[in-house]
Structure formats: C-alpha cells, structure tokens
Amino acid sequence: MTLPPGSSNESEPLGGTVRGTEGSQASVPPPADNVIIRVEGVDAGYEDVVILENINFEVRRGEVFGILGGSGGGKSTLMKHMIGLNPPLAGNIYIDGDNIVTADEAMLEKIQRRFGVMYQSGALFGSMTLLENVRLPLEVYTDLPDEAIDLVARMKLELVGLEAFTGHMPAELSGGMQKRAGIARAMALDPSILFLDEPSSGLDPITAASLDATIRRLSQNLDVTFVIVTHDLGSVFVAMDRVILLDRRAKGIIAEGDPRRLRDETADPRVRAFFRREQETVVS
Amino acid sequence: MAALAINDTADGRRTLALTGRLDATTLPGLWDAARRAAADAPRRPLVIDAAGVEYCDGAGAALFVDLLRQPREGKVEVANLHPTYAALLKQFDPAVLVHDLDPEPPRRPAIEELGYAAFGVWRDIRTQVQFIGETFAALVFAVRYPRSVRWKDVWRICEQVGADALPIVALISFLLGMILAFQSAVPMKRFGAEIFVADLIGLSMLRELGPLMTAILLAGRSGAAFAAEIGTMRVNQEVDALTTMGLSPVRFLVTPRIIAAVLMTPLLVLFSDLVGMVGGAVTMQSFSIPIVTFLKEIDSAVTLTDFLAGFVKSFVFAVLVAGIGCLRGLQTKAGASAVGDAATRAVVSGIILLVVVDGLFAVAYYLLDI
C-alpha cells in the first residue's frame, strides 16, 4: 500500500501493511443450501402481454449468473419480476427461500434489503452528489458513524474508479460514469445478491474489463451472487459462470449453462448464432 | 457480533485484536473505540490483529482502511487477516482515501456572488429578447407559410390548453364571482346599494379578473406543462436531434404551442367572464336581486369597450404564458431536477410577467381614457 503524501513523517510510512495468515486458502465454505434464487413456472410480462412462459431456473450462491437474449426478449421484464418491482403473471420466485411474489409489503421490504440493484441508466438521484447517492442507503439502514459512512461510500466509489468525482452531480458525468456510480450505490450495503441491468453497455473496453474483474473478485471473495442482464458477449465469457438465453419467439429459455460451452458445443442454431454473433441470427 | 481487545506489548507495540463478524451491523459500537485506541498511542507501532475475524465485508474493510490512513508516527500493519479478506482490502488504497479528491469549491466572496447574480439576470434578459425575436420570426414564417405549421400538434395542444382547462377555470371563476358578490354586497346593503354589486362584478370580471385569473391558471397549468415537456425533450437530447436534423426547435416546438395558446386563451377568458357573472348572480339571489335584474344592471353598466379592454389582454397573456413556458423548457440543463426547476421557473416568471404587463395595460388604459 502506498502512502498519503505529506501525511506522515518520512521515516515511518503511515499507509501500513497487510499480512495474511500463512498457508490458508482464499475460499469461503459454501452454505448447506446452495441455491439462493429459484424461479418456478414464471410467466413474465405486463398487463395482458405475455413475453415469456413457464420460466424455471436456479441461481447458486456466489455465482455470476447471466440473463441473455435479444432486444425485447423479456430480460429486463424478468429481472423486474425477480426484484419485486412488478409481479409476474404466474409462478413463484424465491429469494433465499422467501417467495417475493406472495410477500406482503413488510416482507417484500425485508427481502429487498438483501439485494442491490443497478438499473440500466444508473438511476442516480439527480439532486445529490455521487457521494451522497452512495451514502444514502448507508445512512438509512446502518448506525455507522458519519465519518465511517463517508469512508465506506468513498471506498465503493474507488472500487468503480470514481474516487475523484465524489462531489460531482450525476448530470455532470457521462452515461458510463453514471452507470458505475449506480453499481457503487447498489453495493453500498454489501448485499448478498446484486442485480445488474446492462452494466457494461456504454463503458469503454478498459472500464468494462475492470468492472468484470471487480465482479469476479466480489463473487469469489465475498460470496456475492450476481444476476446480470446483458448483451455484452465479452463480459459473458470473462465474468459469468452460468447463463440462460431467452428467446422471444420460443417465449422461454432456449439454452442454459456455461457460456463458453454453449458457444463451443451447442447444436441449436439459434444459440450458436447468438454466441457467435452470426448475421442471420434467429434469436430475437 | 464483533469485539475489540487492546493490548500494549513489552516491545512497545500496541495491538488491536479484532474478532467476530465485521459488517455494517456490528461495527457501529466498535468503530470509534478502535479509532480512539489507535489515536491514543500515536508513536507506538500499531498492529491490527485480524486472526479472530470470521467475516469482513465492505464496511469491515473500511474500518481497516480508516485505521491505516490515520496519520501517526508509529508504523501500522494489519496482521493475520484471512487471505479472502486481505484480497478485498488490497483493492483500496488508504493514500487515496486520506484526502477528498473532489472537494466542494470554496464559496466566492459576497461581492463576487452579487456580480455573478447581476450577470445572470442580464444574461437572462438577453436570452429572453433573443427568444422573442426568434419566436416573432417563427410566427411570421407560420403566417406566410401556414402549411409549415404542424397543425396536428396545434389541435392536440389546443385540447390540453383549452378543453382540459375548462373545469378548473369554471370552478375558480364561479367561486371568484360568488366571493366578490358576498364581500361587496354586505357593506353595500347598508346604503341600499346592493344592486350596484352587479356593476362591480361585471366591470371587474370583464376588464381585470377574468383575463388575469385565466392567465394565472394557464401559467400554472399549461406554462409548467410546456416547460416540463420541452425540458424532458432537452434532457433526452430530442431537442439536439431536431437541431441536427436541420429543424428549428422554436419553429417546431414553440410555434404550435403559442398558436394553440392564442386560440384558446381568449375563449377561456370569455368562459371565465360568463361563469364569474353567473357566480355573482347566484349569490345576489340570496340578497333578493333576481337574475334578470342583475343581468340588466350589468348590461347598463358595462360597455363594449370594457369587454374589449379585457379581451385584448387575453391575446397578450397567451403569448406571454406559452412563450415563457417554452423558453424555460429550452433552457433546461441536465437531469430530472432540472426539469422540475424549468417548470417552477416557468410558473414564477410567467406570473411575474403577467402582473407586470397587466399593470402596464392599466396605465395605458388610464392614459387613453379607456
């Protein structure tokens, strides 16, 4: 770790060092029940428009799970059902064992505190600075001292490379930066599940790669489960453990599994077209 | 739960032994104690012993970073931290987190602030003059080339500005007529002059209150709506898209709104005048003045000039309200709050302008003996 300039005497660095326990492995033991999200027989859509029918899948604790598909394929609609924003037309969704579809208001709030959500546009509050945006959930849900809240919020912003923009208003930043700040805010309370809607769209390749690395690190080190809605195949192959591929015409899941294996081994032309970016794509 | 044990060893080091789960729920009671323990012995080397840490999330990592970043003469190190959490901690650089890298800019001196404010007012006036010129040119163009006007938009806006505003205009005008009648009838009855309440209501509604109240309602309703709609288009870069397509935002967005307001406001004013007088007539029934008598009195007191004096104002008020709403919309900066600001500014400056212009009309009518 490096030192803050001018904040210490010259002989004794103040930044400090970190020594780990020797010989121990960087792994957190998996809990008994390995499934953290279970989607059962869900019909996704709104009002009387059914986009997806009878969707079934599970997300395991600590994995990076991708929801893929073409535009208008129901990815974001499905995610809205999973986070309790809109109820599905049919079926059940269990978050850590609790059904978010049948939950009453108090229970829904309790379930929703277990996860963080980053929306497609970042959804930052325009009247607050970036730091205030990230501080907000910490102020509402923790009793940490003010200085500690400030530090945690700044660390989250450092994690997404925005430590030099804490005092900026969202409107003063680019779309990609707003998105990164949205991720920092979603991570503020260190939730066990993070839902990210198109996290890497609008980011430059270096920032997108850095974000993928952060996702992997959080997943491996802190057992955070990621559910990511995306189109970005680069991120899919680098960051994701498992994916489902949604198809509008089939109104359902047409592939599920390791994205690299799906790309290399699938016989389904629709899946192959999607993963190999073939022009005559059938997936819609 | 989390716990902290402080131990000063014989070799002069201070050890802070942290145990348990370090997260946002367990740290509030521990944070200040750990900082104090570190600050109490600034010259001793400090060892943060994390052998007993069972779990550490972002808040826990923040505690380590906080202790590492504090300025002290003695050396500081984190020992025995599980590699999982050490990897998490290594993502953060305490040096970066010592200083605020994006501090608030220092406040300007008061005299400088005053200068900036005055310049802002001057700039706003200049923008308004420029906007009036552009709008006038666009309206002239619309008169010369009526086909260039998007009439479909005009009729849609007419409905929003006119028909949709009828209930609120009716309610306010009716109540205004009733209140005026009540407030004036009681003292006038003492002199047996309650019949002249009809004169008062007729003149005040036609010359002043009908046009002014309608315009104020229009500013609160349609002016704010214009500002919010165009402001949202500005935020979504739709206005930029119009410009790059070679379409003038003033011609495309402002002209239909001003035409619609100019078509609808006089009709609303007529409606307001009528309903206000009905409100007065209903009230005067309770003072034993029949409706026929009330109307006859109005007919004898009010001239065509009185009616036209109010009616002419409605055209000017329409241009003002629609114009200022559109201008504030086009001036919108970025973000959702900017749209709210634009709507607020449209209403406030719209009402101020209405009152000022109404005052100018009053002076002009006085000088012209109207």
Side-chain angles (χ1 to χ4, degrees):
Chain A
M1 299 204 173
T2 53
L3 299 175
S7 61
S8 65
N9 67 25
E10 290 187 347
S11 57
E12 288 291 338
L14 300 185
T17 55
V18 180
R19 283 193 281 117
T21 48
E22 285 179 22
S24 53
Q25 295 301 306
S27 64
V28 176
D33 181 10
N34 206 27
V35 173
I36 194 163
I37 302 172
R38 178 174 287 125
V39 175
E40 277 182 3
V42 163
D43 287 357
Y46 47 89
E47 292 168 6
D48 52 351
V49 180
V50 181
I51 301 171
L52 300 166
E53 286 174 340
N54 195 25
I55 300 295
N56 294 282
F57 64 90
E58 289 176 346
V59 181
R60 296 170 200 147
R61 203 176 293 271
E63 78 175 346
V64 182
F65 186 86
I67 300 177
L68 314 181
S71 298
K75 304 185 299 294
S76 295
T77 307
L78 180 60
M79 195 182 98
K80 280 181 185 168
H81 296 328
M82 291 171 76
I83 61 178
L85 270 186
N86 299 328
L89 303 177
N92 293 304
I93 298 167
Y94 297 92
I95 306 282
D96 227 353
D98 294 316
N99 192 342
I100 201 164
V101 179
T102 56
D104 59 21
E105 209 171 308
M107 187 63 191
L108 183 64
E109 196 188 317
K110 202 174 143 195
I111 297 170
Q112 284 175 330
R113 281 181 60 179
R114 292 179 209 154
F115 56 75
V117 184
M118 189 225 80
Y119 297 92
Q120 209 164 349
S121 62
L124 298 172
F125 303 118
S127 57
M128 299 179 185
T129 63
L130 289 202
L131 189 70
E132 288 166 343
N133 263 283
V134 183
R135 278 180 59 109
L136 184 67
L138 291 159
E139 285 169 359
V140 174
Y141 290 116
T142 75
D143 297 321
L144 287 169
D146 195 61
E147 206 177 336
I149 288 178
D150 211 65
L151 179 61
V152 175
R154 286 173 61 198
M155 285 168 65
K156 300 299 179 194
L157 285 167
E158 189 192 357
L159 213 55
V160 293
L162 291 174
E163 65 276 9
F165 297 90
T166 51
H168 278 62
M169 304 301 280
E172 296 169 339
L173 302 175
S174 71
M177 290 162 98
Q178 289 184 29
K179 198 165 273 200
R180 278 148 63 195
I183 295 172
R185 188 180 65 185
M187 292 193 303
L189 290 170
D190 293 297
S192 53
I193 307 169
L194 272 171
F195 289 92
L196 310 180
D197 193 359
E198 303 279 5
S200 52
S201 70
L203 298 187
D204 63 86
I206 296 168
T207 311
S210 152
L211 181 63
D212 289 341
T214 304
I215 289 169
R216 291 291 335 160
R217 210 165 38 228
L218 286 169
S219 162
Q220 284 163 3
N221 292 348
L222 283 182
D223 218 19
V224 177
T225 306
F226 284 87
V227 177
I228 303 175
V229 170
T230 188
H231 283 116
D232 184 357
L233 287 178
S235 289
V236 168
F237 297 127
V238 171
M240 295 188 188
D241 299 312
R242 277 188 327 119
V243 298
I244 54 169
L245 179 60
L246 302 174
D247 181 63
R248 193 172 58 189
R249 288 180 197 168
K251 287 193 173 181
I253 299 171
I254 55 168
E256 181 175 356
D258 182 328
R260 292 153 289 269
R261 291 189 64 180
L262 289 174
R263 176 192 58 192
D264 299 335
E265 297 171 14
T266 184
D268 188 330
R270 298 170 301 177
V271 180
R272 207 170 47 228
F274 184 87
F275 283 110
R276 295 181 186 176
R277 283 182 158 178
E278 287 170 4
Q279 199 178 1
E280 60 277 17
T281 178
V282 187
V283 177
S284 53
Chain B
M1 285 302 294
L4 168 72
I6 305 161
N7 185 27
D8 291 331
T9 56
D11 58 0
R13 289 188 305 174
R14 169 160 285 199
T15 305
L16 306 184
L18 291 162
T19 52
R21 288 178 63 86
L22 302 183
D23 60 29
T25 54
T26 59
L27 283 174
L30 202 78
W31 196 289
D32 287 336
R35 292 194 78 188
R36 268 198 309 275
D40 284 349
R43 291 186 181 157
R44 287 167 181 263
L46 183 71
V47 177
I48 305 157
D49 184 1
V53 172
E54 294 162 11
Y55 175 79
C56 171
D57 68 4
L63 176 62
F64 288 115
V65 169
D66 194 31
L67 294 171
L68 288 168
R69 72 175 178 160
Q70 298 302 326
R72 55 185 298 113
E73 291 174 31
K75 193 180 167 187
V76 57
E77 66 172 338
V78 176
N80 305 320
L81 184 62
H82 192 282
T84 304
Y85 308 126
L88 172 71
L89 188 55
K90 273 182 185 162
Q91 293 178 88
F92 305 105
D93 186 351
V96 168
L97 294 158
V98 168
H99 307 287
D100 189 352
L101 296 177
D102 190 20
E104 263 186 57
R107 275 190 74 85
R108 287 190 285 252
I111 189 75
E112 213 175 304
E113 286 286 349
L114 192 67
Y116 271 102
F119 179 70
V121 171
W122 163 245
R123 200 171 44 191
D124 194 38
I125 291 170
R126 205 177 54 184
T127 312
Q128 286 187 34
V129 170
Q130 192 180 339
F131 178 75
I132 289 167
E134 278 183 53
T135 307
F136 184 73
L139 288 172
V140 169
F141 187 85
V143 171
R144 285 182 64 191
Y145 305 100
R147 284 189 170 187
S148 70
V149 178
R150 293 174 55 83
W151 291 105
K152 202 176 158 189
D153 280 355
V154 172
W155 304 134
R156 179 180 59 85
I157 299 163
C158 276
E159 189 184 338
Q160 290 169 355
V161 173
D164 294 352
L166 282 175
I168 184 78
V169 170
L171 178 71
I172 299 292
S173 302
F174 186 79
L175 290 176
L176 198 66
M178 278 184 79
I179 293 163
L180 263 180
F182 263 124
Q183 294 287 351
S184 52
V186 173
M188 286 172 113
K189 194 177 179 185
R190 278 190 236 158
F191 307 103
E194 59 264 46
I195 185 65
F196 295 112
V197 170
D199 301 40
L200 186 143
I201 289 175
L203 283 170
S204 56
M205 282 306 293
L206 290 179
R207 287 185 70 105
E208 195 60 54
L209 292 175
L212 189 64
M213 286 308 296
T214 307
I216 288 175
L217 285 173
L218 202 70
R221 226 182 139 269
S222 305
F226 292 168
E229 191 178 352
I230 297 176
T232 307
M233 291 177 76
R234 178 115 218 154
V235 171
N236 293 339
Q237 295 185 303
E238 291 170 51
V239 176
D240 294 346
L242 280 176
T243 308
T244 51
M245 286 159 74
L247 298 167
S248 157
V250 171
R251 205 175 289 166
F252 197 84
L253 299 172
V254 179
T255 307
R257 282 166 177 78
I258 289 185
I259 292 174
V262 168
L263 289 176
M264 288 296 110
T265 310
L267 297 178
L268 283 176
V269 168
L270 283 178
F271 181 68
S272 168
D273 291 346
L274 184 69
V275 175
M277 286 188 283
V278 168
V282 169
T283 306
M284 292 316 289
Q285 290 257 312
S286 61
F287 287 86
S288 308
I289 306 258
I291 288 179
V292 177
T293 313
F294 184 88
L295 292 177
K296 210 168 174 192
E297 183 60 29
I298 286 183
D299 186 39
S300 66
V302 174
T303 63
L304 182 65
T305 313
D306 293 322
F307 166 72
L308 288 176
F311 196 63
V312 166
K313 283 192 215 174
S314 65
F315 292 95
V316 179
F317 289 169
V319 175
L320 284 178
V321 168
I324 204 76
C326 294
L327 172 65
R328 295 308 184 209
L330 288 171
Q331 286 176 328
T332 305
K333 292 175 183 144
S337 57
V339 177
D341 287 345
T344 307
R345 290 179 69 210
V347 174
V348 172
S349 36
I351 290 174
I352 291 172
L353 264 178
L354 285 174
V355 174
V356 169
V357 171
D358 196 42
L360 292 176
F361 266 112
V363 173
Y365 287 167
Y366 173 75
L367 293 175
L368 295 170
D369 199 20
I370 294 174

